Amino acid sequence: MPLNHLDVGRAVAEMLRVLGPHDAQDWSVPAGSLEWSCRTTAAHVAHDLLAYAGQLAGRPADAYLPFDLTVRADASPREVLQVVAACGGLLGAALAVAGPDVRAWHWGPTDPGGFAAMGVAEVLLHTHDITRGLGVEWLPPGDLCAAVLRRLFPDAPAGDPAGVLLWCTGRGELAGRARRTSWTWQAALPG
């Protein structure tokens, strides 16, 4: 079963649940191993969710639509999380009305399930980055990780889905395998 709007909503709700209680901390610190701050990383999540919603609504065949999200520099972490929730809602709405035959560009023709998988992945992975920066112990839900792996990393090795997803994206170690320093996911459908 492909990922859908409910899965995006669940991932965003998990992000808010995990990070909301820590919105008074210093979000200017790096988000895990990223060069971005925790705040910038959360704004990036909102940006990607909105971009995916725009792609599904506009259905361009060969490029990303020429628009961008700007989160005001004075927005607090709580407000940035509200923007993430709003953009997650927009992606969820776009997914809910997109038929299975809809295609939009993400490095090739991508169906709604691909956009849902990318949205879930962005939320889970960057929530993990932010929790590392804030010193919060958390791992993404295994069932959502397994679904993301099936869609975006079909060649992923077997193992604990959260650990494998973190390894696939250069965020973790996996026994018997070198740490990844570069990676791509496959959201577009095979030609």
Side-chain angles (χ1 to χ4, degrees), residues 6 36-37 43 54 89 105 126 130 139 144-145 153 164 173 187:
L6 298 173
W36 294 337
S37 70
W105 189 83
H126 289 310
I130 295 167
L139 285 175
L144 287 176
C145 292
F153 298 97
V164 172
E173 305 291 333

Side-chain angles (χ1 to χ4, degrees), residues 7 40 43 48 52 67 92 99 117 119 121 129 134 147 169 189:
D7 300 305
T40 299
D48 283 359
Y52 298 156
F67 75 98
D129 296 331
L134 299 178
T169 58
L189 298 170

Side-chain angles (χ1 to χ4, degrees), residues 92-159:
L95 287 164
V97 299
D101 295 333
V102 166
R103 300 293 181 266
W105 189 83
H106 180 82
W107 306 107
T110 303
D111 66 339
F115 281 103
M118 290 188 298
V120 170
E122 289 287 343
V123 171
L124 297 181
L125 292 167
H126 289 310
T127 298
H128 183 265
D129 296 331
I130 295 167
T131 60
R132 299 289 75 80
L134 299 178
V136 175
E137 287 297 320
W138 178 80
L139 285 175
D143 63 324
L144 287 176
C145 292
V148 166
L149 287 167
R150 279 192 300 276
R151 177 52 198 263
L152 300 180
F153 298 97
D155 61 343

Side-chain angles (χ1 to χ4, degrees), residues 40-128:
T40 299
T41 302
H44 166 79
V45 171
H47 169 273
D48 283 359
L49 295 173
L50 180 64
Y52 298 156
Q55 290 302 99
L56 278 170
R59 300 181 190 173
D62 59 0
Y64 264 97
L65 295 173
F67 75 98
D68 209 347
L69 171 69
T70 300
V71 178
R72 287 193 329 251
D74 64 344
S76 70
R78 178 177 299 276
E79 291 169 321
V80 176
L81 290 174
Q82 289 174 327
V83 175
V84 170
C87 293
L90 291 170
L91 176 55
L95 287 164
V97 299
D101 295 333
V102 166
R103 300 293 181 266
W105 189 83
H106 180 82
W107 306 107
T110 303
D111 66 339
F115 281 103
M118 290 188 298
V120 170
E122 289 287 343
V123 171
L124 297 181
L125 292 167
H126 289 310
T127 298
H128 183 265

